[in-house]
Structure formats: C-alpha cells, structure tokens
C-alpha cells in the first residue's frame, strides 16, 4: 500500500505592533558580527524591512497566548527597529511583518540555529555583478558605497573584478579559479591578454597570483621608471597611453602599458628641454640623451662657472635662519622624547637654507658662445645638466695653433639617462668655493 504524501502547512505571516515584540534569550546569535545595528537601521530607512521576523507567542501560566511574542530569529533586525523607535523615527506601534510559529516538533533554539545555519551567503561574483548593475543604472561609486556601508575603494575593487574576462569569471564561478587569481587578472582590462596569460599559466602549472601579475606586466613599464617620472603619467595618459593599476595591492603608481609611446614622449620632451636650454642660455651646442657612454667627454676642455654671490638681504636671511636652525637643533637634542612639530620645523628650515645656498652658476659669455652642454636623465627622472665643455674645433684658433692640439672633438650621443641641476668644478675646487659661500661677506 502506497504511503500517503503528507502535505506541508506553512506558518502564517502576521503584522504585529513592535511594542508587542520582545527579543528572546533563546536566539542563538550572541556575538556581534557583520553590518552594525546603526547601519542596518539606516538600511531599513532606505529599503524598509526586507525580511520578516520569526516569532513565537508568549504563553501565560495556563498556556494561553498573552498577545506578546518572542523574537527567535531576526534579533539584529529587531535591535535596528528598536533603535529607530528610540530615535523617534518609527512609531512603537508600527506593525512589523512576522512569521508566527505555534507549537511544532522543534524547540526555539533549534529554529533559531536553523535560520542562521541554513542561510547561504551571496557568492562574491554575484555581489560584483550586482554592483556593476547598479553602476550601469546610474549610481555613482560613492552612492553605492553609502548604500551598502562599504568603502569607495571596496566598490572600485568589486567593479574591477566584475569587468574581468567573461571566460575567467565563468572559471571562477565554477570553482576552477581562486579569488586571489581573479584579483591578479584585474590589473588589466585587456580580456584577450587575460585569456592568453591564463592559458600560459595553465600549461606551466604555475597559477599563483604573483606569477599571473608578472606575466601581465612583463611588457609594461613601471610608473616609477625614470622616463615615466620625467614625462609624467598624466601627460602619458593625455597622449592616449593606458596605465594598468592594481586596486588590491601597492603598485607604486601602476604599469604603463605602451612602452613605445612613453619612449617617444620622453625623447620629444628631452629634445625640447635641450632646445630651451640652448636658446635661453646661449650655448653653442647641447647634446641630449637618456644616458651617455663612459668617456663621452674625453678630448673636450671643461670650464666652470662661478656661483652667484648672495645679495645682502639674502645673506642676512641665511644667517638668521642658520642661527635659528642651530638653536632649535641643539634644544631638541637636549630634550627628552621626540616631537613631530619640532622635526617638521627643522625640515622646513633646512629646506629654506638649501634653497638660499642653491644659487645658479654664472659662466663667461665668451666661453658659453663656444661651449656646450650634455643633458640626460637621472635615476630619479630629473634632468641632469652638465655645462661647460668645449670641442677642440671650437677653441680660438690662436690657442689651438699654440697648443698644437689636433684632438678630434666628435662626440657620440647615447640613448639612456640621469640628472643634476648645475655643473660644478672638480670636488676639491668646488668645495673650496662653496665653503665660504653663505658666510662670505
């Protein structure tokens, strides 16, 4: 004989005034976790209550219902509603949708545990795509962050992950790719390149996130590269260049994806700086390159300028600042403990003293008319300017005949780079000149 199928009867939903509800001590959730009660209350203000409370009637001594109810599941929602009542943003008699359970074969603790344990969290990819949908609907990143009580950086990260290659997102959803790997792929928006790198990593069995990042960036140039610093990332992007950024780890400014464009921009800027230097200072020639080979100035005569004297006002200013700096430094050394404010004062004073000492060098106009300059790039991306070189063929004829100097003065230019601001005499001579600079009368 076939067993009869038992029909399921669900618990009924009722609207119960909030002041008739009490938080049950049989609720298994005791430890605070997740969104704060304050944030949950704001979410209820925005969206109203999205989930009913699970309650049981409170019975009197004779087993009769008292008209009050214990909240067994939904304790955080209850506390959020309670907060809104205290803030007078909701009436204490406001009807609250509740699932009411009367009787049954399970205990209150059992129901509370089931309500929490059987809940399945949203898959991360579903959240990424939901944020992406909201963005397409016109919500800004700041508004999305405010609505879901997360940081703007988190929203940017989720949106970036949702934009990874559909093929890789499918692998992630199927459990064939870890979140760390997906994050590594998010540094570029090039889906073709992402798929190519995944195929390469899969064949080599090296699928670690660091290896994926290395493959994706192997043809790119760091934003900290001296050419990138010299040109400027903003100028590179204005010229149509693409920058890959890692929103999940420190990337030191990212990676410039088009080396050829960066090289052209750097060369053009270096040439323009060379022409400007030549026209403003009057040099006969200016050689420009990222780097020059060793011995590039061999056979050239070197001459040096003289550092301009300080004006009377600047000298007085220097002496005042130097005395203030020395006193502050001595007092700080004698004091116990550290002080960020004093350290900042010392740094500011030292910077101003350096600016006063960093005076331009003045060169003889006749020497400038026959001399030249080498400009290149420093390791930090600043211009390195070496002034004061004379080729043998540019020497005055009388001096050249007297010396019998027939050295060929051709200079080979290079393609490389480093930067300073002014040429200086040999170490010994320059030290001797600078030693009396600021303190000279």
């Amino acid at each position: 004989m076939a067993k009869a199928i038992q029909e399921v009867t669900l618990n009924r939903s009722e609207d119960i005034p909030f002041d008739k509800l009490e938080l049950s001590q049989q609720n298994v959730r005791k430890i605070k976790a997740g969104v704060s009660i304050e944030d949950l209350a704001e979410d209820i203000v925005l969206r109203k209550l999205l989930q009913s409370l699970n309650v049981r009637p409170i019975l009197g001594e004779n087993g009769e219902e008292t008209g009050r109810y214990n909240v067994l599941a939904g304790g955080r929602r209850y506390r959020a509603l309670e907060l809104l009542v205290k803030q007078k943003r909701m009436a204490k008699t406001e009807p609250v949708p509740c699932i009411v359970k009367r009787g049954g074969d399970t205990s209150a603790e059992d129901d509370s545990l089931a309500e929490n344990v059987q809940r399945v969290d949203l898959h991360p990819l579903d959240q990424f795509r939901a944020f992406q949908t909201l963005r397409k609907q016109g919500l800004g990143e700041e508004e999305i962050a405010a609505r879901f009580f997360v940081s703007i950086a988190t929203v940017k990260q989720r949106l970036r992950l949702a934009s990874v290659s559909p093929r890789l997102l499918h692998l992630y959803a199927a459990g064939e790719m870890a979140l760390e790997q997906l994050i590594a792929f998010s540094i570029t928006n090039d889906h073709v390149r992402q798929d190519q790198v995944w195929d390469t990593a899969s064949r080599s069995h090296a699928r670690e996130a660091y290896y994926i990042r290395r493959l994706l960036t192997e043809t790119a140039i760091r934003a900290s590269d001296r050419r990138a610093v010299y040109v400027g990332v903003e100028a590179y992007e204005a010229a149509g260049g693409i920058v890959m950024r890692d929103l999940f780890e420190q990337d030191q400014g990212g990676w410039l994806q088009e080396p050829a464009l960066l090289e052209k921009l750097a060369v053009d800027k270096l040439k323009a700086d060379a022409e400007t230097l030549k026209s403003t200072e009057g040099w006969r020639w200016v050689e420009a390159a990222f780097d020059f080979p060793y011995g590039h100035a061999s056979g050239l005569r070197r001459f040096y300028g003289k550092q301009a004297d300080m004006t009377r006002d600047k000298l007085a200013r220097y002496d005042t600042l130097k005395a203030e700096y020395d006193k502050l430094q001595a007092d700080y050394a004698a004091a116990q403990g550290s002080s960020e404010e004093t350290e900042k004062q010392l740094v500011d004073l030292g910077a101003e003293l350096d600016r006063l000492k960093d005076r331009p060098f003045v060169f003889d106009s006749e020497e400038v008319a026959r001399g030249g300059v080498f400009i290149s790039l420093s390791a930090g991306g600043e211009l390195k300017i070496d002034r004061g070189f004379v080729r043998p063929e540019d020497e005055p004829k009388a001096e050249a005949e007297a010396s019998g100097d027939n050295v060929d003065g051709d200079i080979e230019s290079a393609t490389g780079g480093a930067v300073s601001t002014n040429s200086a005499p040999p170490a010994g001579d320059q030290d001797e000149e600078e030693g009396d600079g600021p303190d000279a009368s």
Side-chain angles (χ1 to χ4, degrees):
M1 183 177 178
K3 186 176 180 181
I5 299 176
Q6 183 179 2
E7 291 186 358
V8 175
T9 301
L10 300 178
N11 296 318
R12 297 292 179 257
S13 175
E14 299 179 21
D15 288 344
I16 302 173
F18 179 76
D19 61 354
K20 302 297 184 183
L21 301 175
E22 298 179 13
L23 186 58
S24 173
Q25 297 303 310
Q26 295 168 304
N27 190 311
V28 298
R29 186 187 289 273
K30 307 296 184 185
I31 300 173
K32 295 180 180 179
V35 177
S36 71
I37 298 301
E38 290 77 9
D39 288 344
L40 183 54
E42 294 302 323
D43 190 73
I44 292 173
V45 171
L46 176 66
R47 298 183 177 85
K48 313 312 177 198
L49 198 61
L50 299 179
Q51 290 179 278
S52 300
L53 305 184
N54 190 312
V55 303
R56 287 194 180 200
I58 298 176
L59 303 179
E61 293 181 0
N62 298 323
E64 76 282 3
E65 293 189 11
T66 63
R68 301 189 64 81
Y69 298 83
N70 265 331
V71 178
L72 300 172
R76 298 181 70 255
R77 278 164 274 156
Y78 174 86
R79 289 190 180 93
L81 294 171
E82 184 180 45
L83 177 61
L84 292 176
V85 171
K86 289 180 179 178
Q87 295 174 343
K88 300 188 182 304
R89 300 167 75 184
M90 187 183 87
K92 64 180 180 179
T93 56
E94 177 70 21
V96 178
C98 299
I99 300 296
V100 183
K101 184 170 183 179
R102 291 179 170 88
D105 300 327
T106 56
S107 67
E109 289 83 0
D110 185 272
D111 287 352
S112 178
L113 180 61
E115 199 264 354
N116 287 280
V117 171
Q118 294 177 10
R119 180 186 305 159
V120 178
D121 288 336
L122 193 67
H123 190 283
L125 183 55
D126 289 329
Q127 186 191 91
F128 306 160
R129 286 171 169 164
F131 277 15
Q132 188 179 55
T133 299
L134 293 175
R135 189 70 181 88
K136 290 178 180 178
Q137 290 175 351
L139 269 67
E141 293 168 354
E142 292 185 2
E143 188 174 358
I144 295 174
R147 285 194 176 192
F148 294 94
F149 311 105
V150 296
S151 67
I152 296 175
T154 297
V155 175
K156 290 179 182 292
Q157 291 172 346
R158 301 298 184 260
L159 292 173
R160 177 68 67 84
L161 289 171
S163 66
V164 171
S165 158
R167 177 191 171 199
L168 300 185
L169 291 178
H170 177 74
L171 292 171
Y172 173 58
E176 298 178 37
M177 178 184 294
L179 179 58
E180 292 74 16
Q181 294 169 308
L182 188 69
I183 287 173
F185 279 109
S186 72
I187 65 173
T188 178
N189 294 322
D190 188 339
H191 289 178
V192 174
R193 181 61 179 154
Q194 290 172 347
D195 291 343
Q196 289 174 343
V197 167
W198 175 252
D199 291 337
T200 300
S202 298
R203 286 193 298 269
S204 67
H205 302 290
R207 303 184 183 185
E208 292 83 358
Y210 78 86
Y211 182 65
I212 291 171
R213 282 190 180 88
R214 191 173 75 187
L215 291 178
L216 287 169
T217 59
E218 62 184 355
T219 60
I221 295 185
R222 278 279 189 185
S224 56
D225 182 274
R226 59 180 178 166
R227 291 165 294 174
V229 173
Y230 176 56
V231 170
V233 174
E234 289 184 0
Y236 165 81
E237 290 183 305
I242 298 174
V243 180
M244 295 189 294
R245 297 301 307 266
D246 191 335
L247 298 183
F248 297 86
E249 294 186 3
Q250 293 293 330
D251 62 6
Q252 288 77 49
W255 299 265
L256 280 62
Q257 204 167 331
E258 299 173 65
L261 174 61
L262 176 63
E263 185 85 4
K264 179 181 182 304
L265 293 173
V267 169
D268 290 347
K269 182 172 171 45
L270 197 60
K271 287 181 179 178
D273 286 341
E275 286 300 321
T276 300
L277 184 68
K278 183 178 179 181
S279 61
T280 56
E281 297 188 12
W283 298 95
R284 182 178 180 84
W285 54 267
V286 176
E287 290 282 351
F290 295 150
D291 289 301
F292 289 100
Y294 178 78
H296 67 282
S298 177
L300 305 184
R301 176 172 65 85
R302 182 77 184 271
F303 65 93
Y304 300 96
K306 180 180 179 182
Q307 193 172 30
D309 293 331
M310 279 190 188
T311 63
R312 187 183 302 275
D313 290 343
K314 286 187 176 180
L315 184 59
R317 175 67 175 164
Y318 180 90
D319 291 339
T320 300
L321 290 174
K322 188 67 168 62
E324 184 179 348
Y325 180 90
D326 291 343
K327 182 179 185 306
L328 185 61
Q329 188 177 48
D331 292 344
Y332 188 44
Q336 294 183 349
S338 60
S339 167
E340 290 186 8
E341 183 179 353
T342 302
E343 290 176 4
K344 184 179 183 305
Q345 285 181 287
L346 287 169
V347 170
D348 292 343
L349 287 171
E352 189 169 355
L353 287 170
D354 288 340
R355 285 193 293 271
L356 289 170
K357 288 191 295 183
D358 187 20
R359 305 184 305 283
F361 283 80
V362 179
F363 293 83
D364 180 87
S365 59
E366 292 184 3
E367 291 278 49
V368 169
R370 68 172 68 96
V373 181
F374 293 103
I375 68 171
S376 54
L377 289 184
S378 73
E382 302 92 7
L383 274 180
K384 178 181 179 182
I385 306 175
D386 292 322
R387 298 174 173 86
F389 296 88
V390 181
R391 293 166 172 166
E393 64 267 27
D394 294 330
E395 295 283 12
K397 290 184 178 180
E399 293 181 17
E401 291 172 0
S403 64
D405 189 358
N406 294 318
V407 178
D408 184 4
D410 291 341
I411 305 299
E412 295 182 3
S413 61
T415 57
V419 177
S420 67
T421 51
N422 289 297
S423 299
D429 297 338
Q430 186 67 18
D431 290 342
E432 184 177 348
E433 285 189 23
E434 290 187 354
D436 298 329
D439 299 324
S441 58

